[in-house]
Amino acid sequence: MERSPVPVLALRAPKVPLLSLDTVWFQVAGTLCNLACRHCFISCGPGNRSHEMMSRAEVGRYLVEAADLGVKDLYFTGGEPFLNRELPGILEDALRIAPVTVLTNATLIDDRRAEELATLSRGARYSFEVRVSLDGLTPDTNDPIRGEGSFRTTIRGVEALHRAGFLPILTVAQTWSDEEDAALRERFHALLLELGITRPRVKVLPLFRVGRETERTRGYAPDEVLTEEHVLGYDFWNLQCSTSRMVTSRGVFVCPILIDHPAARMGSTLAETLRAFPLAHGACHTCWATGASCRN
Amino acid sequence: MTNPDLVLDDPALEGPLAFVGGPYGNDRALRAVLDDAMRRGAARIFCLGDLGGFGPHPERILPLLDEFEVTVLAGNYDLALAERRGDCGCGYTHPDDNRFARVAYAYTSRRTSDADRARFGTLPRHIRFTREGVRYLLCHGSPRRVNEFLWDSASSDAFLERAARDAGADQIFCSHTGLHWQRALPSGARFVNAGAAGRPANDGRPDAWYAWLPADSRDAEFLAVPYDHDAVAEEIEREGLPPEFARTIRTGWWTTCLEILPAKERLRGRH
């Protein structure tokens, strides 16, 4: 199993308060994935069992707690969530409580699966969003990161979702420079338009220099860490850890990025995690510097 | 800037009330809505903020609200103008939406006098009153945040129950999204999003909308008021604002700032 190097902890890391528990994430497929993307911040892949699949019953217990705490929305990710055979039931349970987003590579979504999801969506009062990860405009740029053949199978999944009536949100990790950013965002929109998706939606996320990404590029430098000065007068609502928590088979963590770091495990129940957290990791610097949120 | 809540104690509040969401610089839509509310005998009219932005005549909105003695609270647009911030604070990330938001904000800012900015700075964030034992709270985005979007399909019952509890209110009126909806929660608390007056409701109707609360009722009605939208579209074009804004006004379908819409609301629109 691949592990990120032990993070360099800031001596006096500033703390982010939990302002409100609005969003609960579920690592519903654990770290198991049918792809092994080279930038994956939690090194997911076919053999990674750092976090296990979650059962419908296990998720259900947290859903009850989340609703009691007044959760606003729910996110399901992995790994690849559709590897979890109980996912349809889990999504059905979740949509009774709150709006739901599922993050997938769409390689396991065919017309039949897309239609099942559409039926679920039509029957729900809340929005059901499907976010699809892709990292290049062509197989030439995508597949070296996400794996041979993945561009074609992901696009097939996107088309199936579109045929079933979804407006999938393409989620792209920013593997390009800031100078190229605006142009590339436009080109991902154009890619969706070419597929006949007339209402293209694209979300760009920064790279987190943890997990497998540390081998593709680099890890965090010692000075990429937050101090009290960084957060002086800062609006903590901008950091997703001020309003969300991540549930995995191993407990409740501060955020989706840091689940490989034991210090980021805050408790066994959501109620145990309703407290401040030290922004001690390089990844915290990325969220702060880029204004990133894993939310839609 | 933190302004104290405006707390009202007025027997007129027992009568029918009108709640007007974002006028967005569309003075013709606003006048049509205010005329309609007066004709129906509104005992009091409230405006839930975002006076400028998008439409051609932001400078005409405050005078119009004063003429009809409307009680106004601050929207994120008004606060941004008061504080001379660089943008409206809606938080768009898509390049097109960003550009449209920047154009609208720069235009509105140019047309906002120092006196109006100062006035925006004094507007309350919340308005509270009690009516037949029910505690009402009026806000722009959500009770806790001026720029939080409360969409029908993206706000869970659990969250709204908590928001009402935290705000110490039984009935909340909000706006900010531009789309009207209401929900009675299991606890009996109720949320009403009044939508916007200055921009159509993305339903293919070019009308102006507002919310109406009859006397002796907690059930809001949403009223669509026709107005000379073609004249506003022409003004938008004459002023050199994006033609997309004029198209929204003419057709009733949103053409801009669509990225923030959740799936269900987005699928109901045309773009």
Side-chain angles (χ1 to χ4, degrees):
Chain A
M1 188 185 71
E2 298 156 74
R3 275 278 180 193
S4 306
V6 175
V8 180
L9 293 183
L11 284 177
R12 280 170 308 184
K15 281 192 168 185
V16 52
L18 184 80
L19 297 171
S20 168
L21 185 66
D22 292 349
T23 303
V24 175
W25 288 77
F26 289 90
Q27 193 75 21
V28 74
T31 36
L32 285 164
C33 193
N34 57 335
L35 302 182
C37 301
R38 292 190 55 223
H39 62 5
C40 186
F41 51 81
I42 45 175
S43 311
C44 293
N48 188 342
R49 294 192 170 270
S50 301
H51 298 264
E52 300 286 347
M53 292 268 182
M54 297 185 74
S55 70
R56 184 174 182 176
E58 197 177 1
V59 172
R61 283 193 292 276
Y62 282 105
L63 287 177
V64 169
E65 194 189 9
D68 285 346
L69 291 168
V71 73
K72 188 179 182 188
D73 45 22
L74 301 162
Y75 286 73
F76 293 86
T77 187
E80 170 47 49
F82 288 97
L83 287 174
N84 187 329
R85 289 179 194 281
E86 290 197 277
L87 188 70
I90 290 171
L91 295 175
E92 191 183 337
D93 296 344
L95 276 166
R96 284 203 198 97
I97 289 172
V100 165
T101 298
V102 62
L103 280 67
T104 172
N105 58 37
T107 57
L108 303 173
I109 296 178
D110 55 11
D111 282 320
R112 196 181 56 85
R113 171 64 58 75
E115 193 43 53
E116 270 173 26
L117 295 175
T119 303
L120 205 56
S121 178
R122 281 192 294 269
R125 184 167 100 194
Y126 301 121
S127 271
F128 176 27
E129 307 278 8
V130 182
R131 258 170 56 187
V132 178
S133 299
L134 192 74
D135 287 301
L137 294 152
T138 62
D140 288 349
T141 47
N142 181 76
D143 292 3
I145 298 172
R146 305 188 63 81
E148 196 58 36
S150 64
F151 182 85
R152 213 163 50 91
T153 45
T154 292
I155 292 292
R156 272 210 299 262
V158 168
E159 288 174 323
L161 287 164
H162 178 61
R163 276 194 294 275
F166 281 96
L167 297 172
I169 303 172
L170 213 58
T171 306
V172 190
Q174 193 191 328
T175 51
W176 52 80
S177 71
D178 287 345
E179 290 72 43
E180 300 168 289
D181 189 44
L184 273 153
R185 282 172 192 251
E186 290 290 346
R187 287 172 65 192
F188 276 102
H189 277 89
L191 171 70
L192 290 170
L193 287 169
E194 280 165 27
L195 296 175
I197 299 174
T198 53
R199 285 176 272 192
R201 304 160 92 199
V202 177
K203 177 175 173 70
V204 178
L205 279 168
L207 286 168
F208 289 93
R209 300 189 184 284
V210 286
R212 213 176 275 129
E213 172 68 9
T214 57
E215 293 155 32
R216 194 183 75 92
T217 55
R218 63 172 177 85
Y220 284 103
D223 63 342
E224 286 177 303
V225 73
L226 294 175
T227 65
E228 286 293 347
E229 275 178 15
H230 290 102
V231 299
L232 201 64
Y234 180 75
D235 184 354
F236 281 113
W237 284 96
N238 294 326
L239 290 179
Q240 75 163 351
C241 47
S242 70
T243 53
S244 71
R245 291 293 180 252
M246 162 57 99
V247 179
T248 88
S249 64
R250 299 197 185 283
V252 185
F253 290 72
V254 65
C255 80
I257 308 296
L258 295 177
I259 59 169
D260 273 344
H261 301 275
R265 187 185 182 280
M266 297 185 73
S268 304
T269 64
L270 291 166
E272 287 171 15
T273 69
L274 306 179
R275 57 190 158 85
F277 181 81
L279 296 164
H281 197 279
C284 309
H285 187 274
T286 297
C287 287
W288 175 86
T290 62
S293 166
C294 302
R295 286 199 192 98
N296 297 340
Chain B
M1 191 180 314
T2 49
N3 300 327
D5 293 0
L6 174 63
V7 181
L8 300 176
D9 183 9
D10 176 0
L13 292 166
E14 304 291 325
L17 305 176
F19 300 85
V20 181
Y24 297 139
N26 184 343
D27 59 307
R28 289 177 193 264
L30 179 61
R31 182 174 285 282
V33 158
L34 296 177
D35 276 339
D36 193 72
M38 291 305 282
R39 206 166 35 242
R40 288 171 186 270
R44 192 148 184 168
I45 305 176
F46 296 95
C47 174
L48 305 180
D50 277 5
L51 277 48
F54 180 76
H57 288 298
E59 76 287 357
R60 294 184 186 168
I61 302 301
L62 262 182
L64 204 45
L65 294 171
D66 288 343
E67 181 189 329
F68 284 83
E69 297 179 16
V70 177
T71 310
V72 188
L73 58 74
N76 57 298
Y77 228 90
D78 316 308
L79 292 174
L81 289 162
E83 294 167 16
R84 296 179 186 276
R85 262 187 255 143
D87 66 61
C88 58
C90 285
Y92 298 113
T93 57
H94 184 265
D96 285 345
D97 280 349
N98 249 329
R99 183 169 58 83
F100 290 129
R102 266 202 312 275
V103 169
Y105 185 75
Y107 177 87
T108 304
S109 189
R110 271 201 307 281
R111 294 210 165 208
T112 303
S113 68
D114 287 349
D116 283 358
R117 280 180 211 275
R119 176 100 179 267
F120 291 157
T122 66
L123 294 174
R125 291 286 190 105
H126 305 104
I127 297 172
R128 289 176 186 272
F129 56 84
T130 301
R131 184 195 203 225
E132 289 167 358
V134 176
R135 299 167 301 165
Y136 284 77
L137 173 76
L138 282 48
C139 59
H140 177 71
S142 70
R144 64 183 186 181
R145 286 179 64 79
V146 70
N147 65 346
E148 179 168 27
F149 294 103
L150 295 185
W151 307 100
D152 189 20
S153 87
S155 304
S156 69
D157 277 0
F159 172 71
L160 295 178
E161 294 277 24
R162 171 161 65 95
R165 226 168 29 238
D166 288 352
D170 308 305
Q171 182 142 352
I172 286 127
F173 278 84
C174 61
S175 172
H176 190 49
T177 62
L179 297 181
H180 54 264
W181 57 273
Q182 72 177 316
R183 199 185 307 166
L185 296 163
S187 70
R190 184 187 289 259
F191 270 75
V192 184
N193 190 316
R199 194 168 175 232
N202 199 22
D203 58 358
R205 273 175 87 156
D207 300 334
W209 289 87
Y210 73 107
W212 179 260
L213 193 66
D216 307 320
S217 175
R218 290 180 64 187
D219 235 336
E221 297 167 25
F222 297 110
L223 304 173
V225 187
Y227 71 102
D228 192 350
H229 56 274
D230 280 328
V232 173
E234 282 160 28
E235 286 168 359
I236 286 173
E237 285 161 345
R238 232 184 358 257
E239 292 295 334
L241 284 161
E244 286 84 352
F245 292 4
R247 206 161 82 228
T248 294
I249 291 289
R250 278 205 182 91
T251 63
W253 297 113
W254 291 5
T255 57
T256 63
C257 304
L258 290 159
E259 67 162 288
I260 51 169
L261 287 179
K264 278 202 191 284
E265 281 81 357
R266 183 83 186 257
L267 282 164
R268 277 185 218 121
R270 176 169 288 175
H271 301 292

